[in-house]
Short mmCIF file of all heavy atoms in Angstrom, two decimals:
data_model
loop_
_atom_site.label_atom_id
_atom_site.label_comp_id
_atom_site.label_asym_id
_atom_site.label_seq_id
_atom_site.Cartn_x
_atom_site.Cartn_y
_atom_site.Cartn_z
N GLU D 412 0.99 -6.65 -25.18
CA GLU D 412 1.90 -7.54 -25.91
C GLU D 412 1.41 -7.95 -27.30
O GLU D 412 2.22 -8.03 -28.23
CB GLU D 412 2.17 -8.78 -25.05
CG GLU D 412 3.13 -8.52 -23.92
CD GLU D 412 3.46 -9.76 -23.12
OE1 GLU D 412 2.69 -10.75 -23.19
OE2 GLU D 412 4.50 -9.75 -22.43
N PRO D 413 0.11 -8.22 -27.53
CA PRO D 413 -0.30 -8.60 -28.89
C PRO D 413 -0.06 -7.51 -29.93
O PRO D 413 -0.07 -7.82 -31.14
CB PRO D 413 -1.81 -8.87 -28.72
CG PRO D 413 -1.97 -9.20 -27.27
CD PRO D 413 -0.99 -8.34 -26.57
N ASN D 414 0.15 -6.28 -29.51
CA ASN D 414 0.37 -5.17 -30.44
C ASN D 414 1.84 -5.00 -30.83
O ASN D 414 2.16 -4.09 -31.59
CB ASN D 414 -0.15 -3.87 -29.84
CG ASN D 414 -1.64 -3.92 -29.52
OD1 ASN D 414 -2.45 -4.15 -30.42
ND2 ASN D 414 -1.99 -3.74 -28.26
N LEU D 415 2.70 -5.85 -30.28
CA LEU D 415 4.13 -5.76 -30.57
C LEU D 415 4.62 -7.09 -31.10
O LEU D 415 4.11 -8.15 -30.73
CB LEU D 415 4.91 -5.37 -29.31
CG LEU D 415 4.56 -4.02 -28.70
CD1 LEU D 415 5.24 -3.84 -27.34
CD2 LEU D 415 4.96 -2.88 -29.63
N SER D 416 5.63 -7.04 -31.95
CA SER D 416 6.16 -8.26 -32.56
C SER D 416 6.96 -9.06 -31.54
O SER D 416 7.46 -8.51 -30.55
CB SER D 416 7.07 -7.91 -33.75
OG SER D 416 8.27 -7.29 -33.28
N PRO D 417 7.11 -10.36 -31.76
CA PRO D 417 7.91 -11.19 -30.84
C PRO D 417 9.34 -10.68 -30.65
O PRO D 417 9.88 -10.74 -29.55
CB PRO D 417 7.88 -12.57 -31.49
CG PRO D 417 6.61 -12.59 -32.28
CD PRO D 417 6.45 -11.19 -32.79
N ASP D 418 9.94 -10.16 -31.72
CA ASP D 418 11.31 -9.65 -31.62
C ASP D 418 11.38 -8.42 -30.72
O ASP D 418 12.31 -8.27 -29.92
CB ASP D 418 11.84 -9.30 -33.01
CG ASP D 418 12.11 -10.54 -33.87
OD1 ASP D 418 12.22 -11.64 -33.28
OD2 ASP D 418 12.20 -10.40 -35.11
N VAL D 419 10.40 -7.55 -30.87
CA VAL D 419 10.36 -6.35 -30.03
C VAL D 419 10.14 -6.73 -28.57
O VAL D 419 10.78 -6.19 -27.66
CB VAL D 419 9.27 -5.38 -30.52
CG1 VAL D 419 9.04 -4.26 -29.49
CG2 VAL D 419 9.64 -4.80 -31.86
N LEU D 420 9.23 -7.67 -28.34
CA LEU D 420 8.98 -8.12 -26.97
C LEU D 420 10.24 -8.72 -26.34
O LEU D 420 10.58 -8.44 -25.20
CB LEU D 420 7.85 -9.15 -26.96
CG LEU D 420 6.45 -8.64 -27.29
CD1 LEU D 420 5.46 -9.80 -27.33
CD2 LEU D 420 6.00 -7.61 -26.27
N ALA D 421 10.93 -9.54 -27.12
CA ALA D 421 12.16 -10.15 -26.61
C ALA D 421 13.19 -9.08 -26.27
O ALA D 421 13.90 -9.17 -25.25
CB ALA D 421 12.72 -11.12 -27.65
N GLU D 422 13.25 -8.05 -27.09
CA GLU D 422 14.21 -6.97 -26.84
C GLU D 422 13.87 -6.22 -25.55
O GLU D 422 14.74 -5.90 -24.75
CB GLU D 422 14.21 -5.98 -28.01
CG GLU D 422 15.10 -4.77 -27.80
CD GLU D 422 14.86 -3.69 -28.84
OE1 GLU D 422 14.31 -4.00 -29.91
OE2 GLU D 422 15.22 -2.54 -28.56
N ILE D 423 12.58 -5.95 -25.33
CA ILE D 423 12.17 -5.22 -24.13
C ILE D 423 12.47 -6.04 -22.89
O ILE D 423 13.00 -5.52 -21.89
CB ILE D 423 10.67 -4.86 -24.21
CG1 ILE D 423 10.43 -3.85 -25.33
CG2 ILE D 423 10.17 -4.29 -22.87
CD1 ILE D 423 8.97 -3.59 -25.63
N TYR D 424 12.13 -7.32 -22.92
CA TYR D 424 12.39 -8.17 -21.76
C TYR D 424 13.89 -8.34 -21.51
O TYR D 424 14.31 -8.54 -20.38
CB TYR D 424 11.71 -9.53 -21.93
CG TYR D 424 10.24 -9.53 -21.57
CD1 TYR D 424 9.26 -9.39 -22.54
CD2 TYR D 424 9.84 -9.64 -20.24
CE1 TYR D 424 7.91 -9.39 -22.20
CE2 TYR D 424 8.50 -9.64 -19.89
CZ TYR D 424 7.53 -9.51 -20.87
OH TYR D 424 6.20 -9.50 -20.54
N ARG D 425 14.69 -8.26 -22.59
CA ARG D 425 16.13 -8.44 -22.46
C ARG D 425 16.83 -7.15 -22.04
O ARG D 425 17.68 -7.14 -21.15
CB ARG D 425 16.71 -8.95 -23.77
CG ARG D 425 18.22 -9.24 -23.70
CD ARG D 425 18.76 -9.63 -25.06
NE ARG D 425 18.69 -8.53 -26.02
CZ ARG D 425 17.94 -8.52 -27.12
NH1 ARG D 425 17.18 -9.56 -27.41
NH2 ARG D 425 17.94 -7.47 -27.93
N ASP D 426 16.47 -6.03 -22.69
CA ASP D 426 17.23 -4.80 -22.53
C ASP D 426 16.49 -3.70 -21.77
O ASP D 426 17.11 -2.70 -21.37
CB ASP D 426 17.59 -4.23 -23.92
CG ASP D 426 18.40 -5.22 -24.74
OD1 ASP D 426 19.13 -6.03 -24.13
OD2 ASP D 426 18.29 -5.19 -25.99
N GLY D 427 15.19 -3.88 -21.57
CA GLY D 427 14.39 -2.78 -20.98
C GLY D 427 14.83 -2.39 -19.59
O GLY D 427 14.82 -1.20 -19.23
N TYR D 428 15.22 -3.36 -18.79
CA TYR D 428 15.64 -3.07 -17.42
C TYR D 428 16.86 -2.15 -17.39
O TYR D 428 16.91 -1.18 -16.64
CB TYR D 428 15.94 -4.37 -16.70
CG TYR D 428 16.43 -4.20 -15.27
CD1 TYR D 428 15.57 -3.76 -14.27
CD2 TYR D 428 17.76 -4.49 -14.94
CE1 TYR D 428 16.02 -3.60 -12.97
CE2 TYR D 428 18.20 -4.34 -13.64
CZ TYR D 428 17.34 -3.90 -12.65
OH TYR D 428 17.78 -3.74 -11.37
N GLY D 429 17.82 -2.46 -18.22
CA GLY D 429 19.02 -1.62 -18.28
C GLY D 429 18.71 -0.22 -18.78
O GLY D 429 19.30 0.76 -18.30
N ILE D 430 17.78 -0.11 -19.72
CA ILE D 430 17.41 1.21 -20.24
C ILE D 430 16.75 2.04 -19.15
O ILE D 430 17.07 3.23 -18.98
CB ILE D 430 16.46 1.04 -21.46
CG1 ILE D 430 17.24 0.43 -22.63
CG2 ILE D 430 15.83 2.37 -21.84
CD1 ILE D 430 16.35 0.03 -23.79
N ILE D 431 15.84 1.43 -18.39
CA ILE D 431 15.18 2.15 -17.30
C ILE D 431 16.20 2.59 -16.24
O ILE D 431 16.16 3.70 -15.72
CB ILE D 431 14.11 1.26 -16.65
CG1 ILE D 431 12.90 1.09 -17.59
CG2 ILE D 431 13.65 1.84 -15.31
CD1 ILE D 431 12.05 2.31 -17.76
N LYS D 432 17.18 1.73 -15.93
CA LYS D 432 18.18 2.05 -14.93
C LYS D 432 19.04 3.23 -15.34
O LYS D 432 19.58 3.94 -14.49
CB LYS D 432 19.07 0.84 -14.65
CG LYS D 432 18.41 -0.26 -13.81
CD LYS D 432 19.43 -1.25 -13.26
CE LYS D 432 20.31 -0.58 -12.21
NZ LYS D 432 21.21 -1.57 -11.56
N GLN D 433 19.16 3.47 -16.64
CA GLN D 433 19.92 4.60 -17.14
C GLN D 433 19.07 5.88 -17.21
O GLN D 433 19.55 6.92 -17.64
CB GLN D 433 20.47 4.31 -18.54
CG GLN D 433 21.48 3.17 -18.58
CD GLN D 433 21.87 2.81 -20.00
OE1 GLN D 433 21.95 3.67 -20.87
NE2 GLN D 433 22.12 1.52 -20.24
N GLY D 434 17.83 5.79 -16.72
CA GLY D 434 16.95 6.96 -16.73
C GLY D 434 16.35 7.26 -18.09
O GLY D 434 15.91 8.39 -18.34
N MET D 435 16.30 6.26 -18.97
CA MET D 435 15.77 6.46 -20.32
C MET D 435 14.63 5.46 -20.56
O MET D 435 14.34 4.62 -19.73
CB MET D 435 16.88 6.26 -21.36
CG MET D 435 18.04 7.23 -21.23
SD MET D 435 19.28 7.05 -22.52
CE MET D 435 19.93 5.41 -22.14
N ASN D 436 14.02 5.60 -21.74
CA ASN D 436 12.96 4.66 -22.12
C ASN D 436 12.77 4.73 -23.63
O ASN D 436 13.32 5.62 -24.31
CB ASN D 436 11.65 4.98 -21.40
CG ASN D 436 10.69 3.81 -21.38
OD1 ASN D 436 11.01 2.70 -21.80
ND2 ASN D 436 9.48 4.04 -20.88
N TYR D 437 12.03 3.81 -24.17
CA TYR D 437 11.74 3.80 -25.61
C TYR D 437 10.87 4.99 -25.98
O TYR D 437 9.98 5.40 -25.22
CB TYR D 437 11.03 2.50 -25.99
CG TYR D 437 11.84 1.26 -25.75
CD1 TYR D 437 11.63 0.48 -24.61
CD2 TYR D 437 12.80 0.84 -26.67
CE1 TYR D 437 12.37 -0.68 -24.40
CE2 TYR D 437 13.55 -0.31 -26.45
CZ TYR D 437 13.33 -1.06 -25.31
OH TYR D 437 14.07 -2.20 -25.08
N THR D 438 11.11 5.54 -27.17
CA THR D 438 10.30 6.67 -27.63
C THR D 438 8.94 6.22 -28.15
O THR D 438 7.96 6.97 -28.09
CB THR D 438 11.04 7.45 -28.74
OG1 THR D 438 11.38 6.54 -29.80
CG2 THR D 438 12.31 8.08 -28.18
N ASP D 439 8.87 5.00 -28.66
CA ASP D 439 7.58 4.47 -29.11
C ASP D 439 6.66 4.30 -27.89
O ASP D 439 7.05 3.68 -26.90
CB ASP D 439 7.78 3.12 -29.78
CG ASP D 439 6.46 2.49 -30.19
OD1 ASP D 439 5.85 2.96 -31.16
OD2 ASP D 439 6.03 1.53 -29.50
N PRO D 440 5.44 4.85 -27.95
CA PRO D 440 4.56 4.82 -26.77
C PRO D 440 4.28 3.43 -26.23
O PRO D 440 4.32 3.22 -25.01
CB PRO D 440 3.28 5.50 -27.28
CG PRO D 440 3.72 6.36 -28.41
CD PRO D 440 4.85 5.61 -29.06
N LEU D 441 3.97 2.47 -27.11
CA LEU D 441 3.65 1.12 -26.63
C LEU D 441 4.87 0.44 -26.01
O LEU D 441 4.78 -0.19 -24.96
CB LEU D 441 3.10 0.27 -27.77
CG LEU D 441 1.62 0.45 -28.11
CD1 LEU D 441 1.23 -0.50 -29.24
CD2 LEU D 441 0.75 0.21 -26.88
N ARG D 442 6.02 0.57 -26.66
CA ARG D 442 7.23 -0.02 -26.10
C ARG D 442 7.57 0.62 -24.75
O ARG D 442 7.92 -0.08 -23.80
CB ARG D 442 8.40 0.17 -27.07
CG ARG D 442 8.28 -0.57 -28.38
CD ARG D 442 9.56 -0.46 -29.17
NE ARG D 442 9.39 -0.96 -30.53
CZ ARG D 442 10.41 -1.14 -31.38
NH1 ARG D 442 11.65 -0.85 -30.99
NH2 ARG D 442 10.20 -1.61 -32.58
N GLY D 443 7.46 1.94 -24.71
CA GLY D 443 7.77 2.63 -23.47
C GLY D 443 6.84 2.27 -22.35
O GLY D 443 7.26 2.06 -21.20
#
Side-chain angles (χ1 to χ4, degrees):
E412 285 183 340
N414 300 302
L415 299 171
S416 70
D418 289 342
V419 169
L420 291 176
E422 177 192 340
I423 294 171
Y424 278 98
R425 183 185 66 245
D426 302 330
Y428 178 71
I430 292 171
I431 289 289
K432 285 195 69 174
Q433 296 174 34
M435 299 184 294
N436 200 6
Y437 297 100
T438 56
D439 177 73
L441 279 181
R442 294 188 190 189

